[in-house]
Amino acid sequence: MISLNTGICRMLGIEYPIIQAGMAGGPTTAELVAEVSGAGGLGTLGAAYLTPEKLREDISEIRKRTNKPFAVNLFAPGPEDDFSRIDEVKQALKPIYEELAIEEQNGEYRSPDHGEELFRICLELNVPVISTAFVSLAPDDMAKPKAQGVNIIAKETAVSEALEARAAGADAIVAQGSEAGGHRGSFSFDRHPMGAQVGLMALLPQVADAVDVPVIAAGGISDGRGLVAALALGAQAVQVGTRFVAARESGAHTAYKQAIFKSDEESTVVTKSFSGRPARGIKNRFIEQFDSSGTKPLPFPSQNTVTKEIRGAAAKTGNPEFMSLWAGQATRGMTQEEGAAEIVSSMMEQARACMR
Ligand SMILES: Cc1cc2nc3c(=O)[nH]c(=O)nc-3n(C[C@H](O)[C@H](O)[C@H](O)COP(=O)(O)O)c2cc1C
């Protein structure tokens, strides 16, 4: 018998098995996180691109708005910058610089790296749950938060990655199917240059069979039917991203939300052109132009740093053709902004009806 009150609800101290994905880059405002947690789910602050000051400010704001548990999502330590092919990449971007009237940066590029400090702040402020994207944290890095009672959630796209994260000490595993919006959580790039592309329906039961900790399903889940299906396939909760990007409290640009409302299951592609790491987003002119230039993107995070001024200029004029419009494959039902708490309650209501 499937129950909506799962083990992970008790483990995380939440009422409903709905986790709002931590989404770096603006969508996950303190207000969004607090609304989801306040409604009985687990709100997650996508903190990877925040400055240490902004992380402190957001955690304090979340705590002012709710006394319920919430999570902070960080990127696990990643590769160093590599700008060795910067001239080639800038040449490919030249027509876009010209179209958006961007003055090319002359000085050296450098990607901000506050990762270690952000992690330290989460421990200092006793954040109840830390979730990570990319490469599993090393066992030593997991030991300290775990000793403090913090739950660690790792995100994976294949059974081999899930086993690695579990062996390192993860308390729960997100199984991210290929339908998911945003960056692929993969770290087996030696075998899968575009990240493992396993659909959630195949991935979920295989991960659930392989690990002895709760599994959270992610990728293309946008309603109560998806929640019940995920529980039937062995998950104890779902992690929802795109539907919350389009929420009223999300900090995503209006033009980005509009692009989601106009999109459907055929609109997205997996691309490395914005950041150097494979990520799923709505296909736009930036992706088409960069991909058709035939230029290989720089590795992450360097490509992300180089394309930042283009994304910034596009945001200023509200031009979705040159923004990164990360989104999953289940967007057809999203047609207007909804409150985050409403999303949680309508998913639960539909799940209950579906189970009846
Ligand atoms: C705009 C956006 C940004 C994302 N940023 C992150 C992130 O910073 N860290 C992370 O672990 N996952 C990130 N993801 C992936 C989500 O964790 C989740 O796997 C995905 O959104 C689930 O698929 P869905 O969008 O179809 O619901 C992001 C997803 C989106 C749509």
Side-chain angles (χ1 to χ4, degrees):
M1 171 79 175
I2 301 174
S3 162
L4 291 166
N5 184 1
T6 62
I8 201 170
C9 291
R10 294 183 287 281
M11 177 176 137
L12 301 177
I14 56 178
E15 207 175 335
Y16 305 133
I18 298 175
I19 299 175
Q20 164 254 313
M23 297 180 280
T28 57
T29 58
E31 191 186 0
L32 176 72
V33 175
E35 277 295 303
V36 173
S37 288
L42 184 76
T44 310
L45 183 69
Y49 301 137
L50 298 184
T51 60
E53 298 71 39
K54 178 75 171 126
L55 176 61
R56 285 181 187 278
E57 209 178 285
D58 281 357
I59 291 174
S60 151
E61 183 62 30
I62 292 166
R63 284 187 161 139
K64 269 189 216 145
R65 289 170 178 266
T66 184
N67 57 7
K68 300 282 182 67
F70 62 96
V72 172
N73 179 271
L74 298 170
F75 292 169
E80 306 273 297
D81 265 335
D82 174 3
F83 288 107
S84 54
R85 289 187 302 100
I86 182 75
D87 292 343
E88 195 189 323
V89 168
K90 282 177 90 170
Q91 190 58 34
L93 295 174
K94 208 166 180 181
I96 302 177
Y97 290 139
E98 283 168 8
E99 179 167 344
L100 301 187
I102 294 171
E103 291 228 1
E104 271 183 54
Q105 185 178 318
N106 286 321
E108 289 215 340
Y109 286 93
R110 200 155 158 261
S111 303
D113 181 15
H114 301 301
E116 270 181 36
E117 199 173 345
L118 298 178
F119 193 66
R120 243 194 333 268
I121 291 171
C122 289
L123 297 189
E124 178 199 320
L125 300 181
N126 236 334
V127 164
V129 182
I130 297 178
S131 64
T132 58
F134 315 147
V135 198
S136 166
L137 284 176
D140 283 355
D141 293 334
M142 285 206 204
K144 196 156 178 218
K146 282 167 67 83
Q148 236 176 266
V150 177
N151 284 300
I152 304 277
I153 302 177
K155 188 169 78 172
E156 324 301 333
T157 61
V159 170
S160 57
E161 296 173 350
L163 289 170
E164 202 178 307
R166 177 59 191 128
D171 298 301
I173 306 276
V174 174
Q176 189 198 38
S178 57
E179 305 90 331
H183 283 101
R184 310 286 312 125
S186 305
F187 46 87
S188 45
F189 288 117
D190 48 338
R191 284 178 286 129
H192 310 289
M194 289 304 279
Q197 299 289 338
V198 186
L200 187 61
M201 195 143 189
L203 179 66
L204 191 48
Q206 298 188 74
V207 173
D209 284 348
V211 296
D212 59 354
V213 290
V215 175
I216 300 157
I221 296 171
S222 63
D223 63 20
R225 293 170 298 181
L227 168 55
V228 175
L231 298 183
L233 289 171
Q236 293 199 16
V238 294
Q239 191 192 56
V240 178
T242 308
R243 190 161 173 196
F244 286 110
V245 174
R248 198 174 305 128
E249 298 85 352
S250 145
H253 198 290
T254 312
Y256 178 7
K257 293 185 184 178
Q258 290 301 326
I260 291 179
F261 301 148
K262 281 191 223 137
S263 70
D264 61 33
E265 71 286 356
E266 295 184 59
S267 304
T268 64
V269 289
V270 175
T271 181
K272 284 185 175 177
S273 57
F274 276 111
S275 70
R277 256 185 194 274
R280 181 176 293 285
I282 297 171
K283 192 168 187 178
N284 59 6
R285 276 189 51 213
F286 180 88
I287 298 174
E288 276 166 2
Q289 276 185 234
F290 193 85
D291 286 357
S292 66
S293 75
T295 305
K296 199 171 147 207
L298 299 174
F300 182 88
S302 309
Q303 181 79 3
N304 198 50
T305 301
V306 174
T307 61
K308 200 172 164 188
E309 49 195 343
I310 292 176
R311 289 179 277 124
K316 263 194 201 140
T317 55
N319 182 351
E321 292 300 330
F322 297 97
M323 295 176 186
S324 50
L325 306 170
W326 303 139
Q329 289 180 318
T331 57
R332 194 181 276 272
M334 299 169 204
T335 54
Q336 57 183 19
E337 279 188 339
E338 303 163 279
E342 241 173 87
I343 295 177
V344 174
S345 61
S346 76
M347 282 185 73
M348 286 304 296
E349 203 174 303
Q350 194 184 25
R352 287 186 204 105
C354 189
M355 293 196 14
R356 276 198 297 275

